[in-house]
Amino acid sequence: MSVPKPPLTVQELVARGAPGGMDEGQIVALTRYWAQLLALKTPEANDAVVGMVGNIAQRSLANIVAPGTFACKKGCAHCCNFHVGLFAPEAFRIARQLRRTPQVRDALADVAARVVGVAPMQRSLLRIPCALLHRNACSIHPFRPHSCRAFMSMDVLACIAAVDGRPSEIRSDKTYDLTEGRIGVAFLAAMGAAGLFMRSYEINASLTMLLDDPGLEARWYAGEDVFESLEDGLTRTDGAIAETLGDLIWHARR
Ligand code: SF4
Ligand code: SF4
C-alpha cells in the first residue's frame, strides 16, 4: 500500500505554486498561516500575505496552464475597462508603491469620480480604463490585485464583446479557475479569521483615499470600516460559498 504524500507546506506551495490544483490540506494550511500573519495587523505582515497570494497564483498559472492557452498578453487591456474590486490588504500594499509616484493620485481620483455610482456590470460601457493602465500595460503589474491576476481569457474577441456589453462567454481553464478560486477563498477566509472586513472595494476610489490619508490603514486594522462607502457588493460571503468559508475560518482559528 502506498503511503500518501503529506501536503506541501505553505512555504513550498508559495515557492512552487499549486502543482495541479490544490487539495484541502494545502488550503487549510495556507489559510491558517495567512490568518496568523494578518492578525498581527502590521504593514509588514499585511504585505507579506498579499505578496504570497500573488506569488502562489502566478506560479500556479505556469504549472497548470500550457503556454498559449490564454489569449492574454502585454498590450492587451480591454479587461482593464471592467470594474475592479480589491480587498483592503491589497490596496494598502499597492498604495505603498504608489506613494513613490504621487502624480498618479490625480489620475486615480479623476477615474474614481467618473465611475462613482455606476453599477459594476455597467462599468465597462463607459470606456474609462483603470487609472493604473499606462500605454496599455498595467503600471503595477507585480502588485496588481488578485481579481486582475486571476482574470484570464482564451479569446480576446469574447473580452471585447463583454466590454461592449454584448452577450459573451469568456472562457478560461477549469483547473486554473478552480485553483485561483481556492487561493481567493483562502485569502478571504484568512481575513475573516483575523477579524478583518471581508469586503471588496472599487480600486480607483480606495487607492485615492489611501494616498490622501495613509492613516486609514491603521484605522482599518483597529476595526473602523473606513472604506464602507466604496463597498462594491461583489464579494459574496453567503450562499454556496458560506459553508466553505465558515469551515476554513474555523480551521484557521484553531
Ligand atoms: S482577459 Fe481578455 S482583454 Fe484581458 S488581457 Fe486577456 S485576452 Fe486581453
Ligand atoms: S490594476 Fe492593472 S491589471 Fe488591474 S485593471 Fe488596473 S491596470 Fe488593469
Side-chain angles (χ1 to χ4, degrees), residues 71-135:
C72 307
K73 59 185 179 194
K74 189 170 181 184
C76 185
H78 305 283
C79 50
C80 296
N81 287 282
F82 288 127
H83 169 92
V84 169
L86 81 178
F87 295 112
E90 299 178 295
F92 298 146
R93 182 169 180 252
I94 295 169
R96 259 184 277 291
Q97 296 300 319
L98 295 181
R99 287 190 189 104
R100 298 173 187 176
T101 52
Q103 63 275 16
V104 77
R105 183 265 170 211
D106 288 349
L108 286 162
D110 178 57
V111 172
R114 293 163 73 195
V115 303
V116 69
V118 177
M121 296 308 165
Q122 304 295 315
R123 161 79 168 82
S124 68
L125 300 178
L126 300 178
R127 290 290 201 292
I128 301 172
C130 171
L132 299 173
L133 187 70
H134 289 178
R135 297 182 180 164

Side-chain angles (χ1 to χ4, degrees), residues 12-228:
E12 285 170 332
L13 267 175
V14 172
R16 291 161 45 180
M22 240 192 284
D23 64 31
E24 298 307 316
Q26 291 165 347
I27 291 291
V28 168
L30 268 180
T31 307
R32 185 180 296 134
Y33 183 55
W34 288 346
Q36 287 166 349
L37 281 174
L38 288 173
L40 297 175
K41 300 183 179 178
T42 65
E44 294 75 20
N46 178 88
D47 291 5
V49 172
V50 178
M52 277 188 265
V53 172
N55 282 347
I56 189 171
Q58 199 65 30
R59 291 185 176 135
S60 300
L61 171 65
N63 288 341
I64 291 167
V65 183
T69 301
F70 289 126
C72 307
K73 59 185 179 194
K74 189 170 181 184
C76 185
H78 305 283
C79 50
C80 296
N81 287 282
F82 288 127
H83 169 92
V84 169
L86 81 178
F87 295 112
E90 299 178 295
F92 298 146
R93 182 169 180 252
I94 295 169
R96 259 184 277 291
Q97 296 300 319
L98 295 181
R99 287 190 189 104
R100 298 173 187 176
T101 52
Q103 63 275 16
V104 77
R105 183 265 170 211
D106 288 349
L108 286 162
D110 178 57
V111 172
R114 293 163 73 195
V115 303
V116 69
V118 177
M121 296 308 165
Q122 304 295 315
R123 161 79 168 82
S124 68
L125 300 178
L126 300 178
R127 290 290 201 292
I128 301 172
C130 171
L132 299 173
L133 187 70
H134 289 178
R135 297 182 180 164
N136 264 6
C138 177
S139 59
I140 56 156
H141 196 258
F143 303 96
R144 67 196 187 285
H146 186 251
S147 55
C148 297
R149 202 180 283 277
F151 190 87
M152 302 287 278
S153 167
M154 290 176 166
D155 180 2
V156 66
L157 293 179
C159 300
I160 294 170
V163 169
D164 288 347
R166 287 180 277 130
S168 168
E169 185 195 352
I170 297 180
R171 285 185 305 116
S172 182
D173 174 275
K174 279 192 181 137
T175 308
Y176 172 76
D177 271 358
L178 185 65
T179 301
E180 291 302 323
R182 289 182 153 204
I183 293 167
V185 169
F187 183 33
L188 188 61
M191 283 187 264
L196 303 171
F197 296 111
M198 298 189 291
R199 295 179 188 156
S200 55
Y201 311 104
E202 201 281 323
I203 184 169
N204 296 276
S206 52
L207 290 174
T208 303
M209 285 177 70
L210 281 168
L211 292 181
D212 286 347
D213 184 355
L216 293 182
E217 181 170 355
R219 285 165 53 194
W220 190 82
Y221 291 145
E224 186 182 341
D225 195 359
V226 294
F227 303 113
E228 186 179 14

